Amino acid sequence: MIQLPLWRQVPLPAASVATATRLPAMPVFVIGRPNRCPDCLSEAFIVGRVTAECAGCGLPLAIVRSRRLS
Ligand SMILES: [Zn+2]
């Protein structure tokens, strides 16, 4: 009889699985490119120093500078 490793027998907590699948990627605001809110699809953003906030739903996005901008 095959004995499975212990970690195979213990089911993962449902909460961590749900979090991992619901957050596929960190939403980012790329300077110099057209951006769209992943939540409400708005194209209007209030750009701050570190984050850009969606003008429609207030979702904060981390600002990323495009490498093509110098
Ligand atoms: Zn939004």
Side-chain angles (χ1 to χ4, degrees):
M1 181 174 180
I2 299 172
Q3 185 81 25
L4 286 172
L6 185 62
W7 63 272
R8 293 282 288 178
Q9 299 177 9
V10 179
L12 288 171
S16 68
V17 173
T19 307
T21 52
R22 291 194 64 175
L23 296 174
M26 173 90 175
V28 292
F29 178 92
V30 183
I31 293 178
R33 284 192 192 176
N35 293 277
R36 187 163 283 215
C37 174
D39 233 25
C40 70
L41 304 181
S42 168
E43 293 182 4
F45 287 89
I46 302 160
V47 182
R49 277 174 163 260
V50 181
T51 59
E53 204 170 288
C54 173
C57 68
L59 181 78
L61 305 181
I63 293 179
V64 171
R65 290 175 196 281
S66 172
R67 290 187 181 179
R68 303 187 71 178
L69 286 178
S70 57

Tab-separated table of all heavy atoms in Angstrom:
chain	number	residue	atom	x	y	z
A	1	MET	N	0.853	-1.201	0.000
A	1	MET	CA	0.000	0.000	0.000
A	1	MET	C	0.880	1.239	0.000
A	1	MET	O	1.853	1.338	0.740
A	1	MET	CB	-0.910	-0.027	1.238
A	1	MET	CG	-1.837	1.169	1.301
A	1	MET	SD	-3.007	1.028	2.666
A	1	MET	CE	-3.909	2.556	2.440
A	2	ILE	N	0.511	2.197	-0.858
A	2	ILE	CA	1.321	3.418	-0.984
A	2	ILE	C	0.900	4.436	0.073
A	2	ILE	O	-0.279	4.751	0.202
A	2	ILE	CB	1.159	4.022	-2.391
A	2	ILE	CG1	1.641	3.000	-3.435
A	2	ILE	CG2	1.934	5.332	-2.503
A	2	ILE	CD1	1.349	3.411	-4.854
A	3	GLN	N	1.899	4.911	0.775
A	3	GLN	CA	1.632	5.922	1.794
A	3	GLN	C	1.933	7.306	1.220
A	3	GLN	O	3.053	7.573	0.787
A	3	GLN	CB	2.515	5.664	3.027
A	3	GLN	CG	2.245	6.580	4.191
A	3	GLN	CD	1.034	6.128	5.009
A	3	GLN	OE1	0.697	4.944	5.002
A	3	GLN	NE2	0.384	7.048	5.670
A	4	LEU	N	0.935	8.159	1.162
A	4	LEU	CA	1.159	9.506	0.647
A	4	LEU	C	1.910	10.344	1.661
A	4	LEU	O	1.790	10.120	2.864
A	4	LEU	CB	-0.176	10.194	0.351
A	4	LEU	CG	-0.918	9.699	-0.896
A	4	LEU	CD1	-2.293	10.333	-0.932
A	4	LEU	CD2	-0.144	10.024	-2.151
A	5	PRO	N	2.708	11.288	1.206
A	5	PRO	CA	3.344	12.219	2.146
A	5	PRO	C	2.295	12.992	2.938
A	5	PRO	O	1.181	13.187	2.453
A	5	PRO	CB	4.143	13.168	1.241
A	5	PRO	CG	4.259	12.461	-0.071
A	5	PRO	CD	3.095	11.531	-0.177
A	6	LEU	N	2.686	13.445	4.103
A	6	LEU	CA	1.726	14.092	4.999
A	6	LEU	C	1.114	15.334	4.368
A	6	LEU	O	-0.072	15.599	4.496
A	6	LEU	CB	2.443	14.461	6.305
A	6	LEU	CG	1.521	15.050	7.389
A	6	LEU	CD1	0.466	14.041	7.803
A	6	LEU	CD2	2.339	15.478	8.601
A	7	TRP	N	1.927	16.100	3.625
A	7	TRP	CA	1.415	17.347	3.071
A	7	TRP	C	0.365	17.098	1.986
A	7	TRP	O	-0.449	17.955	1.684
A	7	TRP	CB	2.541	18.207	2.531
A	7	TRP	CG	3.296	17.582	1.387
A	7	TRP	CD1	4.375	16.761	1.476
A	7	TRP	CD2	3.018	17.717	-0.009
A	7	TRP	NE1	4.782	16.375	0.226
A	7	TRP	CE2	3.985	16.945	-0.694
A	7	TRP	CE3	2.065	18.426	-0.731
A	7	TRP	CZ2	3.997	16.866	-2.094
A	7	TRP	CZ3	2.088	18.339	-2.118
A	7	TRP	CH2	3.045	17.562	-2.784
A	8	ARG	N	0.378	15.902	1.413
A	8	ARG	CA	-0.634	15.579	0.407
A	8	ARG	C	-1.968	15.264	1.057
A	8	ARG	O	-3.009	15.366	0.427
A	8	ARG	CB	-0.164	14.375	-0.415
A	8	ARG	CG	1.029	14.671	-1.254
A	8	ARG	CD	0.659	15.443	-2.491
A	8	ARG	NE	-0.057	14.599	-3.446
A	8	ARG	CZ	-0.527	15.043	-4.603
A	8	ARG	NH1	-0.380	16.284	-4.925
A	8	ARG	NH2	-1.147	14.238	-5.421
A	9	GLN	N	-1.928	14.850	2.304
A	9	GLN	CA	-3.162	14.444	2.972
A	9	GLN	C	-3.880	15.622	3.612
A	9	GLN	O	-5.075	15.564	3.843
A	9	GLN	CB	-2.853	13.394	4.038
A	9	GLN	CG	-2.238	12.132	3.442
A	9	GLN	CD	-1.877	11.137	4.515
A	9	GLN	OE1	-2.221	11.307	5.668
A	9	GLN	NE2	-1.164	10.100	4.130
A	10	VAL	N	-3.140	16.667	3.915
A	10	VAL	CA	-3.747	17.814	4.584
A	10	VAL	C	-4.267	18.789	3.529
A	10	VAL	O	-3.490	19.301	2.727
A	10	VAL	CB	-2.718	18.523	5.494
A	10	VAL	CG1	-3.351	19.734	6.153
A	10	VAL	CG2	-2.177	17.540	6.521
A	11	PRO	N	-5.558	19.029	3.487
A	11	PRO	CA	-6.083	19.988	2.510
A	11	PRO	C	-5.656	21.408	2.848
A	11	PRO	O	-5.524	21.779	4.021
A	11	PRO	CB	-7.601	19.822	2.634
A	11	PRO	CG	-7.817	19.290	4.015
A	11	PRO	CD	-6.601	18.447	4.336
A	12	LEU	N	-5.431	22.188	1.816
A	12	LEU	CA	-5.050	23.576	2.037
A	12	LEU	C	-6.227	24.354	2.605
A	12	LEU	O	-7.372	24.063	2.273
A	12	LEU	CB	-4.617	24.217	0.713
A	12	LEU	CG	-3.266	23.763	0.158
A	12	LEU	CD1	-3.096	24.313	-1.249
A	12	LEU	CD2	-2.146	24.261	1.044
A	13	PRO	N	-5.944	25.330	3.441
A	13	PRO	CA	-7.043	26.183	3.932
A	13	PRO	C	-7.743	26.868	2.762
A	13	PRO	O	-7.094	27.391	1.862
A	13	PRO	CB	-6.321	27.209	4.823
A	13	PRO	CG	-5.019	26.562	5.175
A	13	PRO	CD	-4.665	25.671	4.017
A	14	ALA	N	-9.042	26.846	2.787
A	14	ALA	CA	-9.812	27.396	1.667
A	14	ALA	C	-9.546	28.886	1.488
A	14	ALA	O	-9.569	29.402	0.380
A	14	ALA	CB	-11.298	27.156	1.904
A	15	ALA	N	-9.288	29.581	2.578
A	15	ALA	CA	-9.104	31.035	2.495
A	15	ALA	C	-7.870	31.388	1.667
A	15	ALA	O	-7.919	32.268	0.816
A	15	ALA	CB	-8.981	31.618	3.896
A	16	SER	N	-6.772	30.673	1.906
A	16	SER	CA	-5.544	31.004	1.184
A	16	SER	C	-5.672	30.651	-0.295
A	16	SER	O	-5.150	31.347	-1.159
A	16	SER	CB	-4.352	30.278	1.796
A	16	SER	OG	-4.472	28.891	1.562
A	17	VAL	N	-6.378	29.594	-0.598
A	17	VAL	CA	-6.584	29.217	-1.995
A	17	VAL	C	-7.419	30.279	-2.697
A	17	VAL	O	-7.118	30.703	-3.803
A	17	VAL	CB	-7.259	27.839	-2.080
A	17	VAL	CG1	-7.620	27.524	-3.527
A	17	VAL	CG2	-6.337	26.764	-1.524
A	18	ALA	N	-8.473	30.732	-2.039
A	18	ALA	CA	-9.337	31.747	-2.643
A	18	ALA	C	-8.568	33.039	-2.877
A	18	ALA	O	-8.729	33.687	-3.905
A	18	ALA	CB	-10.534	31.998	-1.740
A	19	THR	N	-7.715	33.401	-1.937
A	19	THR	CA	-6.945	34.636	-2.085
A	19	THR	C	-5.980	34.527	-3.255
A	19	THR	O	-5.830	35.455	-4.034
A	19	THR	CB	-6.163	34.931	-0.795
A	19	THR	OG1	-7.068	34.923	0.293
A	19	THR	CG2	-5.467	36.263	-0.878
A	20	ALA	N	-5.354	33.360	-3.387
A	20	ALA	CA	-4.364	33.201	-4.440
A	20	ALA	C	-5.011	33.229	-5.821
A	20	ALA	O	-4.435	33.753	-6.762
A	20	ALA	CB	-3.619	31.885	-4.240
A	21	THR	N	-6.208	32.685	-5.922
A	21	THR	CA	-6.844	32.631	-7.230
A	21	THR	C	-7.551	33.933	-7.564
A	21	THR	O	-7.721	34.256	-8.726
A	21	THR	CB	-7.859	31.477	-7.275
A	21	THR	OG1	-8.723	31.586	-6.166
A	21	THR	CG2	-7.151	30.140	-7.242
A	22	ARG	N	-7.931	34.678	-6.554
A	22	ARG	CA	-8.663	35.921	-6.828
A	22	ARG	C	-7.721	37.092	-7.072
A	22	ARG	O	-8.128	38.117	-7.546
A	22	ARG	CB	-9.608	36.251	-5.666
A	22	ARG	CG	-10.755	35.266	-5.588
A	22	ARG	CD	-11.846	35.766	-4.701
A	22	ARG	NE	-12.461	36.979	-5.230
A	22	ARG	CZ	-13.507	37.561	-4.680
A	22	ARG	NH1	-14.048	37.061	-3.603
A	22	ARG	NH2	-14.024	38.657	-5.196
A	23	LEU	N	-6.463	36.941	-6.705
A	23	LEU	CA	-5.502	38.008	-6.935
A	23	LEU	C	-4.421	37.491	-7.873
A	23	LEU	O	-3.355	37.085	-7.444
A	23	LEU	CB	-4.878	38.479	-5.613
A	23	LEU	CG	-5.851	39.119	-4.626
A	23	LEU	CD1	-5.148	39.396	-3.313
A	23	LEU	CD2	-6.423	40.408	-5.197
A	24	PRO	N	-4.691	37.466	-9.155
A	24	PRO	CA	-3.714	36.904	-10.087
A	24	PRO	C	-2.480	37.775	-10.236
A	24	PRO	O	-1.384	37.287	-10.440
A	24	PRO	CB	-4.487	36.822	-11.406
A	24	PRO	CG	-5.547	37.868	-11.282
A	24	PRO	CD	-5.892	37.939	-9.814
A	25	ALA	N	-2.672	39.080	-10.147
A	25	ALA	CA	-1.534	39.965	-10.332
A	25	ALA	C	-1.804	41.277	-9.605
A	25	ALA	O	-2.940	41.649	-9.372
A	25	ALA	CB	-1.283	40.233	-11.807
A	26	MET	N	-0.741	41.956	-9.262
A	26	MET	CA	-0.863	43.261	-8.624
A	26	MET	C	-1.230	44.284	-9.689
A	26	MET	O	-0.533	44.413	-10.692
A	26	MET	CB	0.484	43.621	-7.998
A	26	MET	CG	0.533	45.023	-7.454
A	26	MET	SD	0.015	45.091	-5.739
A	26	MET	CE	0.331	46.814	-5.401
A	27	PRO	N	-2.347	44.985	-9.514
A	27	PRO	CA	-2.696	46.005	-10.502
A	27	PRO	C	-1.708	47.157	-10.453
A	27	PRO	O	-1.331	47.626	-9.387
A	27	PRO	CB	-4.100	46.447	-10.066
A	27	PRO	CG	-4.189	46.101	-8.626
A	27	PRO	CD	-3.319	44.889	-8.419
A	28	VAL	N	-1.271	47.590	-11.614
A	28	VAL	CA	-0.282	48.653	-11.667
A	28	VAL	C	-0.738	49.726	-12.645
A	28	VAL	O	-1.511	49.473	-13.570
A	28	VAL	CB	1.103	48.133	-12.097
A	28	VAL	CG1	1.688	47.237	-11.031
A	28	VAL	CG2	1.032	47.433	-13.428
A	29	PHE	N	-0.239	50.920	-12.425
A	29	PHE	CA	-0.477	52.049	-13.303
A	29	PHE	C	0.847	52.376	-13.983
A	29	PHE	O	1.826	52.705	-13.314
A	29	PHE	CB	-0.978	53.246	-12.480
A	29	PHE	CG	-1.216	54.481	-13.291
A	29	PHE	CD1	-2.466	54.745	-13.828
A	29	PHE	CD2	-0.192	55.386	-13.508
A	29	PHE	CE1	-2.689	55.892	-14.569
A	29	PHE	CE2	-0.404	56.536	-14.246
A	29	PHE	CZ	-1.654	56.786	-14.782
A	30	VAL	N	0.908	52.238	-15.285
A	30	VAL	CA	2.149	52.461	-16.005
A	30	VAL	C	2.149	53.873	-16.567
A	30	VAL	O	1.266	54.233	-17.358
A	30	VAL	CB	2.324	51.435	-17.134
A	30	VAL	CG1	3.673	51.634	-17.827
A	30	VAL	CG2	2.219	50.021	-16.586
A	31	ILE	N	3.124	54.657	-16.155
A	31	ILE	CA	3.224	56.034	-16.632
A	31	ILE	C	3.605	56.028	-18.109
A	31	ILE	O	4.519	55.309	-18.515
A	31	ILE	CB	4.260	56.804	-15.797
A	31	ILE	CG1	3.738	56.961	-14.369
A	31	ILE	CG2	4.554	58.159	-16.418
A	31	ILE	CD1	4.715	57.674	-13.458
A	32	GLY	N	2.900	56.827	-18.888
A	32	GLY	CA	3.210	56.927	-20.302
A	32	GLY	C	2.435	55.939	-21.161
A	32	GLY	O	2.658	55.856	-22.362
A	33	ARG	N	1.553	55.211	-20.537
A	33	ARG	CA	0.747	54.260	-21.294
A	33	ARG	C	-0.717	54.436	-20.921
A	33	ARG	O	-1.024	54.874	-19.815
A	33	ARG	CB	1.151	52.819	-20.955
A	33	ARG	CG	2.434	52.384	-21.604
A	33	ARG	CD	2.566	50.884	-21.453
A	33	ARG	NE	3.903	50.436	-21.814
A	33	ARG	CZ	4.297	49.169	-21.692
A	33	ARG	NH1	3.484	48.276	-21.188
A	33	ARG	NH2	5.498	48.818	-22.051
A	34	PRO	N	-1.614	54.088	-21.826
A	34	PRO	CA	-3.037	54.110	-21.459
A	34	PRO	C	-3.320	53.052	-20.408
A	34	PRO	O	-2.927	51.898	-20.565
A	34	PRO	CB	-3.760	53.811	-22.774
A	34	PRO	CG	-2.745	53.140	-23.634
A	34	PRO	CD	-1.404	53.712	-23.230
A	35	ASN	N	-3.962	53.482	-19.335
A	35	ASN	CA	-4.254	52.553	-18.251
A	35	ASN	C	-5.760	52.409	-18.087
A	35	ASN	O	-6.519	53.331	-18.383
A	35	ASN	CB	-3.643	53.071	-16.942
A	35	ASN	CG	-2.135	53.062	-16.990
A	35	ASN	OD1	-1.509	52.057	-16.751
A	35	ASN	ND2	-1.537	54.196	-17.324
A	36	ARG	N	-6.132	51.271	-17.601
A	36	ARG	CA	-7.550	51.018	-17.381
A	36	ARG	C	-7.722	50.326	-16.042
A	36	ARG	O	-6.993	49.383	-15.731
A	36	ARG	CB	-8.096	50.151	-18.513
A	36	ARG	CG	-9.593	49.974	-18.465
A	36	ARG	CD	-10.110	49.472	-19.782
A	36	ARG	NE	-10.160	50.546	-20.779
A	36	ARG	CZ	-11.101	50.646	-21.708
A	36	ARG	NH1	-12.058	49.759	-21.776
A	36	ARG	NH2	-11.087	51.623	-22.570
A	37	CYS	N	-8.680	50.801	-15.283
A	37	CYS	CA	-8.939	50.208	-13.975
A	37	CYS	C	-9.425	48.774	-14.146
A	37	CYS	O	-10.353	48.523	-14.906
A	37	CYS	CB	-9.977	51.030	-13.226
A	37	CYS	SG	-10.493	50.282	-11.675
A	38	PRO	N	-8.788	47.808	-13.454
A	38	PRO	CA	-9.231	46.419	-13.575
A	38	PRO	C	-10.579	46.171	-12.911
A	38	PRO	O	-11.194	45.138	-13.131
A	38	PRO	CB	-8.118	45.633	-12.874
A	38	PRO	CG	-7.522	46.606	-11.922
A	38	PRO	CD	-7.642	47.968	-12.564
A	39	ASP	N	-11.001	47.114	-12.097
A	39	ASP	CA	-12.243	46.919	-11.354
A	39	ASP	C	-13.446	47.490	-12.095
A	39	ASP	O	-14.440	46.817	-12.306
A	39	ASP	CB	-12.105	47.587	-9.987
A	39	ASP	CG	-12.443	46.613	-8.867
A	39	ASP	OD1	-12.313	45.401	-9.095
A	39	ASP	OD2	-12.838	47.066	-7.794
A	40	CYS	N	-13.356	48.761	-12.496
A	40	CYS	CA	-14.515	49.417	-13.095
A	40	CYS	C	-14.234	49.862	-14.522
A	40	CYS	O	-15.080	50.503	-15.143
A	40	CYS	CB	-14.950	50.613	-12.230
A	40	CYS	SG	-13.795	51.983	-12.267
A	41	LEU	N	-13.053	49.544	-15.045
A	41	LEU	CA	-12.674	49.822	-16.439
A	41	LEU	C	-12.633	51.309	-16.753
A	41	LEU	O	-12.691	51.694	-17.916
A	41	LEU	CB	-13.619	49.101	-17.412
A	41	LEU	CG	-13.709	47.573	-17.210
A	41	LEU	CD1	-14.639	46.964	-18.231
A	41	LEU	CD2	-12.337	46.941	-17.284
A	42	SER	N	-12.523	52.134	-15.722
A	42	SER	CA	-12.394	53.562	-15.957
A	42	SER	C	-10.982	53.885	-16.431
A	42	SER	O	-10.025	53.190	-16.112
A	42	SER	CB	-12.689	54.322	-14.661
A	42	SER	OG	-12.309	55.667	-14.803
A	43	GLU	N	-10.865	54.945	-17.214
A	43	GLU	CA	-9.546	55.349	-17.702
A	43	GLU	C	-9.061	56.617	-17.015
A	43	GLU	O	-8.027	57.162	-17.386
A	43	GLU	CB	-9.596	55.550	-19.216
A	43	GLU	CG	-9.827	54.239	-19.962
A	43	GLU	CD	-9.834	54.444	-21.466
A	43	GLU	OE1	-9.579	55.571	-21.908
A	43	GLU	OE2	-10.089	53.473	-22.192
A	44	ALA	N	-9.810	57.103	-16.063
A	44	ALA	CA	-9.435	58.320	-15.354
A	44	ALA	C	-8.772	57.954	-14.033
A	44	ALA	O	-9.308	57.167	-13.256
A	44	ALA	CB	-10.663	59.182	-15.102
A	45	PHE	N	-7.605	58.531	-13.803
A	45	PHE	CA	-6.870	58.225	-12.583
A	45	PHE	C	-6.367	59.506	-11.934
A	45	PHE	O	-6.029	60.471	-12.622
A	45	PHE	CB	-5.666	57.324	-12.881
A	45	PHE	CG	-6.055	55.908	-13.199
A	45	PHE	CD1	-6.326	55.539	-14.502
A	45	PHE	CD2	-6.154	54.970	-12.198
A	45	PHE	CE1	-6.687	54.236	-14.800
A	45	PHE	CE2	-6.510	53.666	-12.484
A	45	PHE	CZ	-6.780	53.302	-13.790
A	46	ILE	N	-6.331	59.479	-10.620
A	46	ILE	CA	-5.714	60.552	-9.860
A	46	ILE	C	-4.313	60.076	-9.509
A	46	ILE	O	-4.139	59.179	-8.677
A	46	ILE	CB	-6.522	60.866	-8.592
A	46	ILE	CG1	-7.954	61.245	-8.969
A	46	ILE	CG2	-5.848	61.970	-7.792
A	46	ILE	CD1	-8.936	61.093	-7.825
A	47	VAL	N	-3.324	60.627	-10.182
A	47	VAL	CA	-1.966	60.114	-10.045
A	47	VAL	C	-1.256	60.823	-8.909
A	47	VAL	O	-1.134	62.047	-8.906
A	47	VAL	CB	-1.182	60.300	-11.364
A	47	VAL	CG1	0.220	59.723	-11.231
A	47	VAL	CG2	-1.921	59.628	-12.510
A	48	GLY	N	-0.793	60.057	-7.970
A	48	GLY	CA	-0.045	60.614	-6.849
A	48	GLY	C	1.427	60.318	-6.989
A	48	GLY	O	1.915	60.025	-8.087
A	49	ARG	N	2.131	60.351	-5.864
A	49	ARG	CA	3.576	60.116	-5.916
A	49	ARG	C	3.889	58.624	-5.973
A	49	ARG	O	4.810	58.205	-6.661
A	49	ARG	CB	4.255	60.702	-4.671
A	49	ARG	CG	4.537	62.168	-4.809
A	49	ARG	CD	5.072	62.700	-3.493
A	49	ARG	NE	5.732	63.996	-3.720
A	49	ARG	CZ	7.052	64.120	-3.811
A	49	ARG	NH1	7.825	63.074	-3.701
A	49	ARG	NH2	7.591	65.301	-4.002
A	50	VAL	N	3.154	57.835	-5.215
A	50	VAL	CA	3.452	56.405	-5.137
A	50	VAL	C	2.346	55.576	-5.766
A	50	VAL	O	2.605	54.558	-6.392
A	50	VAL	CB	3.640	55.977	-3.657
A	50	VAL	CG1	3.987	54.497	-3.566
A	50	VAL	CG2	4.707	56.828	-3.003
A	51	THR	N	1.118	56.033	-5.624
A	51	THR	CA	-0.005	55.274	-6.158
A	51	THR	C	-0.859	56.160	-7.047
A	51	THR	O	-0.871	57.380	-6.908
A	51	THR	CB	-0.896	54.709	-5.030
A	51	THR	OG1	-1.376	55.791	-4.247
A	51	THR	CG2	-0.130	53.738	-4.159
A	52	ALA	N	-1.543	55.529	-7.972
A	52	ALA	CA	-2.540	56.206	-8.783
A	52	ALA	C	-3.898	55.655	-8.368
A	52	ALA	O	-4.080	54.441	-8.292
A	52	ALA	CB	-2.292	55.969	-10.262
A	53	GLU	N	-4.825	56.557	-8.089
A	53	GLU	CA	-6.125	56.125	-7.600
A	53	GLU	C	-7.149	56.267	-8.706
A	53	GLU	O	-7.210	57.297	-9.375
A	53	GLU	CB	-6.509	56.989	-6.396
A	53	GLU	CG	-7.489	56.306	-5.472
A	53	GLU	CD	-7.643	57.105	-4.184
A	53	GLU	OE1	-6.703	57.109	-3.367
A	53	GLU	OE2	-8.687	57.742	-4.025
A	54	CYS	N	-7.936	55.224	-8.885
A	54	CYS	CA	-8.973	55.272	-9.903
A	54	CYS	C	-9.989	56.341	-9.534
A	54	CYS	O	-10.463	56.398	-8.404
A	54	CYS	CB	-9.645	53.912	-10.013
A	54	CYS	SG	-11.078	53.920	-11.086
A	55	ALA	N	-10.327	57.165	-10.523
A	55	ALA	CA	-11.290	58.224	-10.250
A	55	ALA	C	-12.705	57.674	-10.157
A	55	ALA	O	-13.597	58.317	-9.627
A	55	ALA	CB	-11.211	59.295	-11.348
A	56	GLY	N	-12.911	56.499	-10.688
A	56	GLY	CA	-14.247	55.928	-10.683
A	56	GLY	C	-14.577	55.204	-9.391
A	56	GLY	O	-15.598	55.462	-8.773
A	57	CYS	N	-13.697	54.275	-8.966
A	57	CYS	CA	-14.010	53.449	-7.802
A	57	CYS	C	-13.002	53.627	-6.681
A	57	CYS	O	-13.178	53.064	-5.614
A	57	CYS	CB	-14.077	51.976	-8.200
A	57	CYS	SG	-12.494	51.263	-8.691
A	58	GLY	N	-11.931	54.397	-6.915
A	58	GLY	CA	-10.983	54.654	-5.839
A	58	GLY	C	-9.971	53.546	-5.633
A	58	GLY	O	-9.267	53.523	-4.636
A	59	LEU	N	-9.865	52.627	-6.572
A	59	LEU	CA	-8.901	51.535	-6.438
A	59	LEU	C	-7.480	52.071	-6.576
A	59	LEU	O	-7.153	52.710	-7.576
A	59	LEU	CB	-9.163	50.490	-7.522
A	59	LEU	CG	-8.231	49.283	-7.492
A	59	LEU	CD1	-8.656	48.326	-6.383
A	59	LEU	CD2	-8.243	48.570	-8.829
A	60	PRO	N	-6.635	51.834	-5.578
A	60	PRO	CA	-5.251	52.295	-5.687
A	60	PRO	C	-4.404	51.347	-6.514
A	60	PRO	O	-4.453	50.133	-6.342
A	60	PRO	CB	-4.786	52.337	-4.230
A	60	PRO	CG	-5.614	51.307	-3.545
A	60	PRO	CD	-6.923	51.215	-4.289
A	61	LEU	N	-3.629	51.911	-7.423
A	61	LEU	CA	-2.720	51.107	-8.233
A	61	LEU	C	-1.301	51.568	-7.970
A	61	LEU	O	-1.045	52.762	-7.824
A	61	LEU	CB	-3.028	51.271	-9.721
A	61	LEU	CG	-4.451	50.974	-10.181
A	61	LEU	CD1	-4.562	51.171	-11.678
A	61	LEU	CD2	-4.860	49.564	-9.818
A	62	ALA	N	-0.390	50.621	-7.921
A	62	ALA	CA	1.017	50.972	-7.749
A	62	ALA	C	1.540	51.568	-9.062
A	62	ALA	O	1.282	51.046	-10.135
A	62	ALA	CB	1.823	49.733	-7.380
A	63	ILE	N	2.262	52.667	-8.956
A	63	ILE	CA	2.768	53.326	-10.147
A	63	ILE	C	4.058	52.651	-10.601
A	63	ILE	O	4.978	52.445	-9.812
A	63	ILE	CB	3.023	54.824	-9.880
A	63	ILE	CG1	1.690	55.525	-9.631
A	63	ILE	CG2	3.755	55.450	-11.052
A	63	ILE	CD1	1.843	56.998	-9.324
A	64	VAL	N	4.092	52.314	-11.867
A	64	VAL	CA	5.290	51.717	-12.460
A	64	VAL	C	5.720	52.606	-13.602
A	64	VAL	O	4.917	53.012	-14.431
A	64	VAL	CB	4.983	50.280	-12.966
A	64	VAL	CG1	6.162	49.749	-13.770
A	64	VAL	CG2	4.657	49.361	-11.812
A	65	ARG	N	7.003	52.913	-13.618
A	65	ARG	CA	7.525	53.722	-14.717
A	65	ARG	C	7.975	52.808	-15.849
A	65	ARG	O	8.728	51.874	-15.627
A	65	ARG	CB	8.705	54.556	-14.228
A	65	ARG	CG	8.263	55.647	-13.297
A	65	ARG	CD	9.442	56.392	-12.716
A	65	ARG	NE	9.013	57.175	-11.556
A	65	ARG	CZ	8.396	58.339	-11.651
A	65	ARG	NH1	8.158	58.863	-12.822
A	65	ARG	NH2	8.019	58.977	-10.563
A	66	SER	N	7.498	53.118	-17.034
A	66	SER	CA	7.890	52.309	-18.191
A	66	SER	C	9.376	52.472	-18.451
A	66	SER	O	9.946	53.543	-18.324
A	66	SER	CB	7.096	52.745	-19.412
A	66	SER	OG	7.580	52.107	-20.557
A	67	ARG	N	10.006	51.367	-18.819
A	67	ARG	CA	11.464	51.406	-19.058
A	67	ARG	C	11.797	52.173	-20.329
A	67	ARG	O	12.941	52.543	-20.551
A	67	ARG	CB	11.994	49.975	-19.176
A	67	ARG	CG	11.963	49.256	-17.845
A	67	ARG	CD	12.634	47.910	-17.949
A	67	ARG	NE	12.593	47.199	-16.672
A	67	ARG	CZ	13.096	45.993	-16.501
A	67	ARG	NH1	13.650	45.365	-17.493
A	67	ARG	NH2	13.036	45.407	-15.331
A	68	ARG	N	10.807	52.354	-21.181
A	68	ARG	CA	11.091	53.063	-22.422
A	68	ARG	C	11.157	54.560	-22.183
A	68	ARG	O	11.660	55.288	-23.022
A	68	ARG	CB	10.010	52.742	-23.450
A	68	ARG	CG	9.918	51.238	-23.687
A	68	ARG	CD	8.980	50.920	-24.824
A	68	ARG	NE	9.555	51.313	-26.099
A	68	ARG	CZ	8.957	51.103	-27.266
A	68	ARG	NH1	7.780	50.528	-27.304
A	68	ARG	NH2	9.508	51.457	-28.393
A	69	LEU	N	10.657	55.004	-21.058
A	69	LEU	CA	10.763	56.419	-20.722
A	69	LEU	C	12.095	56.651	-20.019
A	69	LEU	O	12.436	55.940	-19.074
A	69	LEU	CB	9.619	56.833	-19.800
A	69	LEU	CG	8.239	56.967	-20.442
A	69	LEU	CD1	7.226	57.338	-19.382
A	69	LEU	CD2	8.265	58.026	-21.518
A	70	SER	N	12.798	57.637	-20.472
A	70	SER	CA	14.084	57.905	-19.845
A	70	SER	C	14.194	59.377	-19.492
A	70	SER	O	13.392	60.156	-19.926
A	70	SER	CB	15.235	57.492	-20.762
A	70	SER	OG	15.112	58.159	-21.986
B	1	ZN	ZN	-11.973	51.824	-10.883
